[in-house]
PDB file of all heavy atoms in Angstrom:
ATOM      1  N   PRO L   9      -0.660  30.546 -69.020  1.00 94.00           N
ATOM      2  CA  PRO L   9       0.282  31.483 -68.402  1.00 94.00           C
ATOM      3  C   PRO L   9      -0.006  31.582 -66.909  1.00 94.00           C
ATOM      4  O   PRO L   9      -1.163  31.591 -66.495  1.00 94.00           O
ATOM      5  CB  PRO L   9      -0.012  32.819 -69.100  1.00 94.00           C
ATOM      6  CG  PRO L   9      -1.247  32.623 -69.897  1.00 94.00           C
ATOM      7  CD  PRO L   9      -1.426  31.169 -70.108  1.00 94.00           C
ATOM      8  N   GLY L  10       1.053  31.595 -66.109  1.00 92.00           N
ATOM      9  CA  GLY L  10       0.875  31.711 -64.660  1.00 92.00           C
ATOM     10  C   GLY L  10       0.679  30.376 -63.970  1.00 92.00           C
ATOM     11  O   GLY L  10       0.543  30.318 -62.750  1.00 92.00           O
ATOM     12  N   LYS L  13       4.882  26.985 -64.953  1.00 95.00           N
ATOM     13  CA  LYS L  13       5.767  26.194 -65.826  1.00 95.00           C
ATOM     14  C   LYS L  13       7.230  26.608 -65.646  1.00 95.00           C
ATOM     15  O   LYS L  13       8.102  25.766 -65.510  1.00 95.00           O
ATOM     16  CB  LYS L  13       5.383  26.373 -67.313  1.00 95.00           C
ATOM     17  CG  LYS L  13       3.982  25.944 -67.657  1.00 95.00           C
ATOM     18  CD  LYS L  13       3.734  26.002 -69.169  1.00 95.00           C
ATOM     19  CE  LYS L  13       3.810  27.408 -69.744  1.00 95.00           C
ATOM     20  NZ  LYS L  13       2.767  28.327 -69.268  1.00 95.00           N
ATOM     21  N   SER L  30      12.832  27.684 -72.625  1.00 96.00           N
ATOM     22  CA  SER L  30      11.648  28.528 -72.532  1.00 96.00           C
ATOM     23  C   SER L  30      11.588  29.428 -73.751  1.00 96.00           C
ATOM     24  O   SER L  30      12.447  30.299 -73.932  1.00 96.00           O
ATOM     25  CB  SER L  30      11.715  29.372 -71.253  1.00 96.00           C
ATOM     26  OG  SER L  30      10.900  30.523 -71.393  1.00 96.00           O
ATOM     27  N   THR L  31      10.580  29.209 -74.599  1.00 97.00           N
ATOM     28  CA  THR L  31      10.486  30.044 -75.804  1.00 97.00           C
ATOM     29  C   THR L  31      10.175  31.499 -75.429  1.00 97.00           C
ATOM     30  O   THR L  31      10.638  32.417 -76.095  1.00 97.00           O
ATOM     31  CB  THR L  31       9.416  29.495 -76.777  1.00 97.00           C
ATOM     32  OG1 THR L  31       8.265  29.096 -76.030  1.00 97.00           O
ATOM     33  CG2 THR L  31       9.951  28.333 -77.572  1.00 97.00           C
ATOM     34  N   GLY L  32       9.423  31.698 -74.336  1.00 96.00           N
ATOM     35  CA  GLY L  32       9.153  33.066 -73.873  1.00 96.00           C
ATOM     36  C   GLY L  32      10.456  33.773 -73.500  1.00 96.00           C
ATOM     37  O   GLY L  32      10.692  34.921 -73.889  1.00 96.00           O
ATOM     38  N   ASP L  33      11.336  33.070 -72.760  1.00 94.00           N
ATOM     39  CA  ASP L  33      12.630  33.669 -72.377  1.00 94.00           C
ATOM     40  C   ASP L  33      13.477  33.962 -73.615  1.00 94.00           C
ATOM     41  O   ASP L  33      14.161  34.987 -73.689  1.00 94.00           O
ATOM     42  CB  ASP L  33      13.424  32.729 -71.456  1.00 94.00           C
ATOM     43  CG  ASP L  33      12.877  32.713 -70.032  1.00 94.00           C
ATOM     44  OD1 ASP L  33      12.008  33.557 -69.703  1.00 94.00           O
ATOM     45  OD2 ASP L  33      13.310  31.846 -69.237  1.00 94.00           O
ATOM     46  N   LEU L  35      12.420  34.664 -76.611  1.00 96.00           N
ATOM     47  CA  LEU L  35      11.867  35.834 -77.298  1.00 96.00           C
ATOM     48  C   LEU L  35      12.187  37.118 -76.524  1.00 96.00           C
ATOM     49  O   LEU L  35      12.545  38.135 -77.115  1.00 96.00           O
ATOM     50  CB  LEU L  35      10.348  35.686 -77.475  1.00 96.00           C
ATOM     51  CG  LEU L  35       9.898  34.595 -78.451  1.00 96.00           C
ATOM     52  CD1 LEU L  35       8.380  34.408 -78.390  1.00 96.00           C
ATOM     53  CD2 LEU L  35      10.315  34.928 -79.883  1.00 96.00           C
ATOM     54  N   ARG L  36      12.060  37.056 -75.181  1.00 94.00           N
ATOM     55  CA  ARG L  36      12.362  38.263 -74.389  1.00 94.00           C
ATOM     56  C   ARG L  36      13.828  38.657 -74.540  1.00 94.00           C
ATOM     57  O   ARG L  36      14.158  39.845 -74.606  1.00 94.00           O
ATOM     58  CB  ARG L  36      11.996  38.045 -72.912  1.00 94.00           C
ATOM     59  CG  ARG L  36      10.488  38.210 -72.657  1.00 94.00           C
ATOM     60  CD  ARG L  36      10.131  38.090 -71.194  1.00 94.00           C
ATOM     61  NE  ARG L  36      10.238  36.736 -70.695  1.00 94.00           N
ATOM     62  CZ  ARG L  36       9.303  35.792 -70.870  1.00 94.00           C
ATOM     63  NH1 ARG L  36       8.183  36.074 -71.490  1.00 94.00           N
ATOM     64  NH2 ARG L  36       9.478  34.573 -70.397  1.00 94.00           N
ATOM     65  N   ALA L  49       8.795  40.127 -82.876  1.00 96.00           N
ATOM     66  CA  ALA L  49       7.989  39.473 -81.838  1.00 96.00           C
ATOM     67  C   ALA L  49       7.387  40.454 -80.833  1.00 96.00           C
ATOM     68  O   ALA L  49       6.325  40.192 -80.267  1.00 96.00           O
ATOM     69  CB  ALA L  49       8.853  38.451 -81.087  1.00 96.00           C
ATOM     70  N   VAL L  52       3.653  41.544 -81.056  1.00 96.00           N
ATOM     71  CA  VAL L  52       2.766  40.379 -80.881  1.00 96.00           C
ATOM     72  C   VAL L  52       2.695  40.013 -79.401  1.00 96.00           C
ATOM     73  O   VAL L  52       1.620  39.781 -78.842  1.00 96.00           O
ATOM     74  CB  VAL L  52       3.307  39.168 -81.691  1.00 96.00           C
ATOM     75  CG1 VAL L  52       2.405  37.964 -81.528  1.00 96.00           C
ATOM     76  CG2 VAL L  52       3.463  39.521 -83.158  1.00 96.00           C
ATOM     77  N   MET L  53       3.850  39.982 -78.749  1.00 96.00           N
ATOM     78  CA  MET L  53       3.898  39.612 -77.327  1.00 96.00           C
ATOM     79  C   MET L  53       3.173  40.648 -76.476  1.00 96.00           C
ATOM     80  O   MET L  53       2.466  40.308 -75.534  1.00 96.00           O
ATOM     81  CB  MET L  53       5.353  39.481 -76.871  1.00 96.00           C
ATOM     82  CG  MET L  53       6.062  38.315 -77.509  1.00 96.00           C
ATOM     83  SD  MET L  53       7.826  38.363 -77.201  1.00 96.00           S
ATOM     84  CE  MET L  53       7.910  37.732 -75.534  1.00 96.00           C
ATOM     85  N   ASP L  54       3.368  41.930 -76.815  1.00 94.00           N
ATOM     86  CA  ASP L  54       2.703  42.984 -76.037  1.00 94.00           C
ATOM     87  C   ASP L  54       1.184  42.870 -76.127  1.00 94.00           C
ATOM     88  O   ASP L  54       0.470  43.265 -75.219  1.00 94.00           O
ATOM     89  CB  ASP L  54       3.144  44.377 -76.517  1.00 94.00           C
ATOM     90  CG  ASP L  54       4.551  44.706 -76.029  1.00 94.00           C
ATOM     91  OD1 ASP L  54       5.058  43.978 -75.162  1.00 94.00           O
ATOM     92  OD2 ASP L  54       5.143  45.692 -76.525  1.00 94.00           O
ATOM     93  N   GLY L  56      -0.281  39.969 -76.364  1.00 96.00           N
ATOM     94  CA  GLY L  56      -0.642  38.693 -75.729  1.00 96.00           C
ATOM     95  C   GLY L  56      -1.000  37.635 -76.746  1.00 96.00           C
ATOM     96  O   GLY L  56      -1.553  36.589 -76.397  1.00 96.00           O
ATOM     97  N   GLU L  57      -0.664  37.901 -78.010  1.00 97.00           N
ATOM     98  CA  GLU L  57      -0.982  36.917 -79.059  1.00 97.00           C
ATOM     99  C   GLU L  57       0.210  35.995 -79.283  1.00 97.00           C
ATOM    100  O   GLU L  57       1.272  36.186 -78.697  1.00 97.00           O
ATOM    101  CB  GLU L  57      -1.340  37.666 -80.353  1.00 97.00           C
ATOM    102  CG  GLU L  57      -2.645  38.442 -80.192  1.00 97.00           C
ATOM    103  CD  GLU L  57      -2.889  39.421 -81.339  1.00 97.00           C
ATOM    104  OE1 GLU L  57      -2.121  39.415 -82.317  1.00 97.00           O
ATOM    105  OE2 GLU L  57      -3.855  40.194 -81.218  1.00 97.00           O
ATOM    106  N   LEU L  58       0.037  35.031 -80.191  1.00 98.00           N
ATOM    107  CA  LEU L  58       1.116  34.083 -80.431  1.00 98.00           C
ATOM    108  C   LEU L  58       1.979  34.498 -81.629  1.00 98.00           C
ATOM    109  O   LEU L  58       1.467  34.957 -82.652  1.00 98.00           O
ATOM    110  CB  LEU L  58       0.555  32.675 -80.674  1.00 98.00           C
ATOM    111  CG  LEU L  58      -0.199  32.037 -79.508  1.00 98.00           C
ATOM    112  CD1 LEU L  58      -0.604  30.600 -79.854  1.00 98.00           C
ATOM    113  CD2 LEU L  58       0.637  32.046 -78.225  1.00 98.00           C
ATOM    114  N   VAL L  59       3.274  34.305 -81.464  1.00 97.00           N
ATOM    115  CA  VAL L  59       4.244  34.549 -82.535  1.00 97.00           C
ATOM    116  C   VAL L  59       4.045  33.430 -83.576  1.00 97.00           C
ATOM    117  O   VAL L  59       3.719  32.292 -83.206  1.00 97.00           O
ATOM    118  CB  VAL L  59       5.667  34.537 -81.917  1.00 97.00           C
ATOM    119  CG1 VAL L  59       6.748  34.591 -82.978  1.00 97.00           C
ATOM    120  CG2 VAL L  59       5.814  35.688 -80.915  1.00 97.00           C
ATOM    121  N   PRO L  60       4.226  33.741 -84.892  1.00 97.00           N
ATOM    122  CA  PRO L  60       3.954  32.718 -85.912  1.00 97.00           C
ATOM    123  C   PRO L  60       4.700  31.388 -85.689  1.00 97.00           C
ATOM    124  O   PRO L  60       5.840  31.367 -85.234  1.00 97.00           O
ATOM    125  CB  PRO L  60       4.421  33.390 -87.209  1.00 97.00           C
ATOM    126  CG  PRO L  60       4.291  34.852 -86.937  1.00 97.00           C
ATOM    127  CD  PRO L  60       4.591  35.026 -85.460  1.00 97.00           C
ATOM    128  N   ASP L  61       4.005  30.305 -86.049  1.00 97.00           N
ATOM    129  CA  ASP L  61       4.531  28.951 -85.834  1.00 97.00           C
ATOM    130  C   ASP L  61       5.914  28.740 -86.455  1.00 97.00           C
ATOM    131  O   ASP L  61       6.786  28.142 -85.827  1.00 97.00           O
ATOM    132  CB  ASP L  61       3.563  27.917 -86.432  1.00 97.00           C
ATOM    133  CG  ASP L  61       2.284  27.787 -85.618  1.00 97.00           C
ATOM    134  OD1 ASP L  61       2.322  28.027 -84.398  1.00 97.00           O
ATOM    135  OD2 ASP L  61       1.241  27.446 -86.216  1.00 97.00           O
ATOM    136  N   MET L  64       8.687  30.060 -84.327  1.00 97.00           N
ATOM    137  CA  MET L  64       8.897  29.316 -83.087  1.00 97.00           C
ATOM    138  C   MET L  64       9.533  27.951 -83.360  1.00 97.00           C
ATOM    139  O   MET L  64      10.427  27.511 -82.635  1.00 97.00           O
ATOM    140  CB  MET L  64       7.566  29.125 -82.342  1.00 97.00           C
ATOM    141  CG  MET L  64       6.865  30.405 -81.993  1.00 97.00           C
ATOM    142  SD  MET L  64       7.923  31.661 -81.250  1.00 97.00           S
ATOM    143  CE  MET L  64       8.531  30.817 -79.816  1.00 97.00           C
ATOM    144  N   ILE L  68      13.227  26.451 -81.854  1.00 96.00           N
ATOM    145  CA  ILE L  68      13.405  25.203 -81.101  1.00 96.00           C
ATOM    146  C   ILE L  68      14.258  24.206 -81.886  1.00 96.00           C
ATOM    147  O   ILE L  68      15.140  23.546 -81.326  1.00 96.00           O
ATOM    148  CB  ILE L  68      12.027  24.589 -80.734  1.00 96.00           C
ATOM    149  CG1 ILE L  68      11.359  25.427 -79.649  1.00 96.00           C
ATOM    150  CG2 ILE L  68      12.142  23.140 -80.269  1.00 96.00           C
ATOM    151  CD1 ILE L  68      12.091  25.418 -78.303  1.00 96.00           C
ATOM    152  N   ASP L  84       9.309  24.542 -72.185  1.00 97.00           N
ATOM    153  CA  ASP L  84       8.455  25.396 -71.352  1.00 97.00           C
ATOM    154  C   ASP L  84       7.891  26.490 -72.270  1.00 97.00           C
ATOM    155  O   ASP L  84       8.607  27.400 -72.662  1.00 97.00           O
ATOM    156  CB  ASP L  84       9.340  25.960 -70.222  1.00 97.00           C
ATOM    157  CG  ASP L  84       8.787  27.225 -69.584  1.00 97.00           C
ATOM    158  OD1 ASP L  84       7.617  27.568 -69.821  1.00 97.00           O
ATOM    159  OD2 ASP L  84       9.546  27.877 -68.835  1.00 97.00           O
ATOM    160  N   GLY L  85       6.619  26.331 -72.651  1.00 97.00           N
ATOM    161  CA  GLY L  85       6.009  27.339 -73.536  1.00 97.00           C
ATOM    162  C   GLY L  85       5.993  26.921 -74.995  1.00 97.00           C
ATOM    163  O   GLY L  85       5.632  27.706 -75.863  1.00 97.00           O
ATOM    164  N   PHE L  86       6.394  25.708 -75.285  1.00 98.00           N
ATOM    165  CA  PHE L  86       6.394  25.157 -76.633  1.00 98.00           C
ATOM    166  C   PHE L  86       6.096  23.667 -76.518  1.00 98.00           C
ATOM    167  O   PHE L  86       6.688  23.021 -75.652  1.00 98.00           O
ATOM    168  CB  PHE L  86       7.752  25.368 -77.304  1.00 98.00           C
ATOM    169  CG  PHE L  86       7.810  24.889 -78.732  1.00 98.00           C
ATOM    170  CD1 PHE L  86       7.563  25.748 -79.790  1.00 98.00           C
ATOM    171  CD2 PHE L  86       8.094  23.551 -79.018  1.00 98.00           C
ATOM    172  CE1 PHE L  86       7.599  25.300 -81.100  1.00 98.00           C
ATOM    173  CE2 PHE L  86       8.117  23.098 -80.328  1.00 98.00           C
ATOM    174  CZ  PHE L  86       7.883  23.974 -81.369  1.00 98.00           C
ATOM    175  N   PRO L  87       5.244  23.076 -77.326  1.00 98.00           N
ATOM    176  CA  PRO L  87       4.446  23.685 -78.393  1.00 98.00           C
ATOM    177  C   PRO L  87       3.196  24.387 -77.825  1.00 98.00           C
ATOM    178  O   PRO L  87       2.736  24.051 -76.754  1.00 98.00           O
ATOM    179  CB  PRO L  87       4.031  22.471 -79.233  1.00 98.00           C
ATOM    180  CG  PRO L  87       4.002  21.326 -78.268  1.00 98.00           C
ATOM    181  CD  PRO L  87       5.071  21.610 -77.256  1.00 98.00           C
ATOM    182  N   ARG L  88       2.704  25.343 -78.583  1.00 98.00           N
ATOM    183  CA  ARG L  88       1.522  26.087 -78.149  1.00 98.00           C
ATOM    184  C   ARG L  88       0.383  25.983 -79.159  1.00 98.00           C
ATOM    185  O   ARG L  88      -0.677  26.543 -78.927  1.00 98.00           O
ATOM    186  CB  ARG L  88       1.903  27.562 -78.026  1.00 98.00           C
ATOM    187  CG  ARG L  88       2.094  28.046 -76.589  1.00 98.00           C
ATOM    188  CD  ARG L  88       2.522  29.481 -76.675  1.00 98.00           C
ATOM    189  NE  ARG L  88       2.303  30.262 -75.508  1.00 98.00           N
ATOM    190  CZ  ARG L  88       3.222  30.526 -74.581  1.00 98.00           C
ATOM    191  NH1 ARG L  88       4.408  29.966 -74.637  1.00 98.00           N
ATOM    192  NH2 ARG L  88       2.940  31.354 -73.597  1.00 98.00           N
ATOM    193  N   THR L  89       0.618  25.306 -80.267  1.00 98.00           N
ATOM    194  CA  THR L  89      -0.439  25.104 -81.275  1.00 98.00           C
ATOM    195  C   THR L  89      -0.292  23.689 -81.834  1.00 98.00           C
ATOM    196  O   THR L  89       0.769  23.055 -81.680  1.00 98.00           O
ATOM    197  CB  THR L  89      -0.287  26.085 -82.470  1.00 98.00           C
ATOM    198  OG1 THR L  89       0.948  25.779 -83.128  1.00 98.00           O
ATOM    199  CG2 THR L  89      -0.283  27.542 -82.041  1.00 98.00           C
ATOM    200  N   GLN L  92       2.654  23.447 -84.140  1.00 98.00           N
ATOM    201  CA  GLN L  92       3.940  23.344 -83.436  1.00 98.00           C
ATOM    202  C   GLN L  92       4.131  21.929 -82.889  1.00 98.00           C
ATOM    203  O   GLN L  92       5.245  21.391 -82.915  1.00 98.00           O
ATOM    204  CB  GLN L  92       4.016  24.352 -82.286  1.00 98.00           C
ATOM    205  CG  GLN L  92       4.097  25.802 -82.755  1.00 98.00           C
ATOM    206  CD  GLN L  92       4.181  26.802 -81.608  1.00 98.00           C
ATOM    207  OE1 GLN L  92       4.491  26.459 -80.468  1.00 98.00           O
ATOM    208  NE2 GLN L  92       3.892  28.054 -81.917  1.00 98.00           N
ATOM    209  N   ARG L 127       3.339  39.221 -60.189  1.00 94.00           N
ATOM    210  CA  ARG L 127       4.676  38.624 -60.149  1.00 94.00           C
ATOM    211  C   ARG L 127       5.777  39.569 -60.628  1.00 94.00           C
ATOM    212  O   ARG L 127       5.557  40.430 -61.467  1.00 94.00           O
ATOM    213  CB  ARG L 127       4.710  37.286 -60.897  1.00 94.00           C
ATOM    214  CG  ARG L 127       4.467  37.365 -62.367  1.00 94.00           C
ATOM    215  CD  ARG L 127       4.358  35.956 -62.964  1.00 94.00           C
ATOM    216  NE  ARG L 127       4.209  36.018 -64.400  1.00 94.00           N
ATOM    217  CZ  ARG L 127       4.082  34.958 -65.185  1.00 94.00           C
ATOM    218  NH1 ARG L 127       4.090  33.734 -64.673  1.00 94.00           N
ATOM    219  NH2 ARG L 127       3.955  35.098 -66.490  1.00 94.00           N
ATOM    220  N   ARG L 161       7.342  41.737 -66.187  1.00 92.00           N
ATOM    221  CA  ARG L 161       7.154  41.532 -67.625  1.00 92.00           C
ATOM    222  C   ARG L 161       6.115  42.502 -68.158  1.00 92.00           C
ATOM    223  O   ARG L 161       5.077  42.717 -67.531  1.00 92.00           O
ATOM    224  CB  ARG L 161       6.686  40.092 -67.876  1.00 92.00           C
ATOM    225  CG  ARG L 161       7.822  39.103 -67.852  1.00 92.00           C
ATOM    226  CD  ARG L 161       7.325  37.695 -67.925  1.00 92.00           C
ATOM    227  NE  ARG L 161       6.373  37.451 -69.008  1.00 92.00           N
ATOM    228  CZ  ARG L 161       5.977  36.247 -69.378  1.00 92.00           C
ATOM    229  NH1 ARG L 161       6.463  35.177 -68.767  1.00 92.00           N
ATOM    230  NH2 ARG L 161       5.109  36.081 -70.343  1.00 92.00           N
ATOM    231  N   ASP L 163       4.086  42.067 -70.467  1.00 94.00           N
ATOM    232  CA  ASP L 163       2.791  41.449 -70.801  1.00 94.00           C
ATOM    233  C   ASP L 163       2.070  40.892 -69.574  1.00 94.00           C
ATOM    234  O   ASP L 163       1.030  40.266 -69.700  1.00 94.00           O
ATOM    235  CB  ASP L 163       2.972  40.354 -71.875  1.00 94.00           C
ATOM    236  CG  ASP L 163       3.932  39.232 -71.454  1.00 94.00           C
ATOM    237  OD1 ASP L 163       4.608  39.370 -70.415  1.00 94.00           O
ATOM    238  OD2 ASP L 163       4.007  38.232 -72.178  1.00 94.00           O
ATOM    239  N   ASP L 164       2.597  41.137 -68.372  1.00 94.00           N
ATOM    240  CA  ASP L 164       1.925  40.672 -67.155  1.00 94.00           C
ATOM    241  C   ASP L 164       0.938  41.712 -66.627  1.00 94.00           C
ATOM    242  O   ASP L 164       0.954  42.059 -65.446  1.00 94.00           O
ATOM    243  CB  ASP L 164       2.959  40.328 -66.070  1.00 94.00           C
ATOM    244  CG  ASP L 164       3.529  38.923 -66.226  1.00 94.00           C
ATOM    245  OD1 ASP L 164       3.031  38.166 -67.084  1.00 94.00           O
ATOM    246  OD2 ASP L 164       4.473  38.593 -65.484  1.00 94.00           O
ATOM    247  N   THR L 168      -3.613  42.221 -71.094  1.00 94.00           N
ATOM    248  CA  THR L 168      -2.878  41.262 -71.927  1.00 94.00           C
ATOM    249  C   THR L 168      -3.062  39.826 -71.412  1.00 94.00           C
ATOM    250  O   THR L 168      -3.149  38.883 -72.201  1.00 94.00           O
ATOM    251  CB  THR L 168      -1.381  41.634 -71.970  1.00 94.00           C
ATOM    252  OG1 THR L 168      -1.301  42.999 -72.326  1.00 94.00           O
ATOM    253  CG2 THR L 168      -0.617  40.820 -72.973  1.00 94.00           C
ATOM    254  N   ARG L 172      -3.864  36.359 -73.419  1.00 95.00           N
ATOM    255  CA  ARG L 172      -2.976  35.200 -73.329  1.00 95.00           C
ATOM    256  C   ARG L 172      -3.740  33.960 -72.872  1.00 95.00           C
ATOM    257  O   ARG L 172      -3.498  32.851 -73.353  1.00 95.00           O
ATOM    258  CB  ARG L 172      -1.801  35.503 -72.374  1.00 95.00           C
ATOM    259  CG  ARG L 172      -0.835  36.529 -72.972  1.00 95.00           C
ATOM    260  CD  ARG L 172       0.065  37.159 -71.934  1.00 95.00           C
ATOM    261  NE  ARG L 172       0.938  36.209 -71.277  1.00 95.00           N
ATOM    262  CZ  ARG L 172       1.526  36.427 -70.101  1.00 95.00           C
ATOM    263  NH1 ARG L 172       1.320  37.568 -69.455  1.00 95.00           N
ATOM    264  NH2 ARG L 172       2.308  35.535 -69.585  1.00 95.00           N
TER     265      ARG L 172
HETATM  266  P1  LIG T   1       5.667  32.903 -72.025  1.00 78.72           P
HETATM  267  O1  LIG T   1       6.873  33.459 -71.348  1.00 78.72           O
HETATM  268  O2  LIG T   1       5.767  31.432 -72.311  1.00 78.72           O
HETATM  269  O3  LIG T   1       4.392  33.268 -71.296  1.00 78.72           O
HETATM  270  O4  LIG T   1       5.578  33.609 -73.473  1.00 78.72           O
HETATM  271  C1  LIG T   1       5.421  35.011 -73.585  1.00 78.72           C
HETATM  272  C2  LIG T   1       4.913  35.344 -74.984  1.00 78.72           C
HETATM  273  O5  LIG T   1       5.861  34.919 -75.960  1.00 78.72           O
HETATM  274  C3  LIG T   1       3.602  34.686 -75.376  1.00 78.72           C
HETATM  275  O6  LIG T   1       2.464  35.399 -74.905  1.00 78.72           O
HETATM  276  C4  LIG T   1       3.716  34.706 -76.901  1.00 78.72           C
HETATM  277  O7  LIG T   1       3.454  35.998 -77.425  1.00 78.72           O
HETATM  278  C5  LIG T   1       5.189  34.425 -77.126  1.00 78.72           C
HETATM  279  N1  LIG T   1       5.466  32.958 -77.228  1.00 78.72           N
HETATM  280  C6  LIG T   1       6.210  32.207 -76.375  1.00 78.72           C
HETATM  281  N2  LIG T   1       6.270  30.925 -76.781  1.00 78.72           N
HETATM  282  C7  LIG T   1       5.519  30.863 -77.916  1.00 78.72           C
HETATM  283  C8  LIG T   1       5.171  29.806 -78.805  1.00 78.72           C
HETATM  284  N3  LIG T   1       5.585  28.540 -78.599  1.00 78.72           N
HETATM  285  N4  LIG T   1       4.373  30.106 -79.863  1.00 78.72           N
HETATM  286  C9  LIG T   1       3.939  31.360 -80.090  1.00 78.72           C
HETATM  287  N5  LIG T   1       4.226  32.403 -79.281  1.00 78.72           N
HETATM  288  C10 LIG T   1       5.011  32.172 -78.205  1.00 78.72           C
END
Side-chain angles (χ1 to χ4, degrees):
K13 300 186 296 295
S30 157
T31 42
D33 284 350
L35 292 172
R36 280 184 288 279
V52 180
M53 292 169 79
D54 285 348
E57 293 168 7
L58 297 184
V59 172
D61 288 332
M64 302 313 301
I68 288 294
D84 159 12
F86 183 94
R88 256 177 159 98
T89 64
Q92 291 180 17
R127 65 187 184 180
R161 280 173 50 169
D163 59 350
D164 277 353
T168 309
R172 290 162 63 200

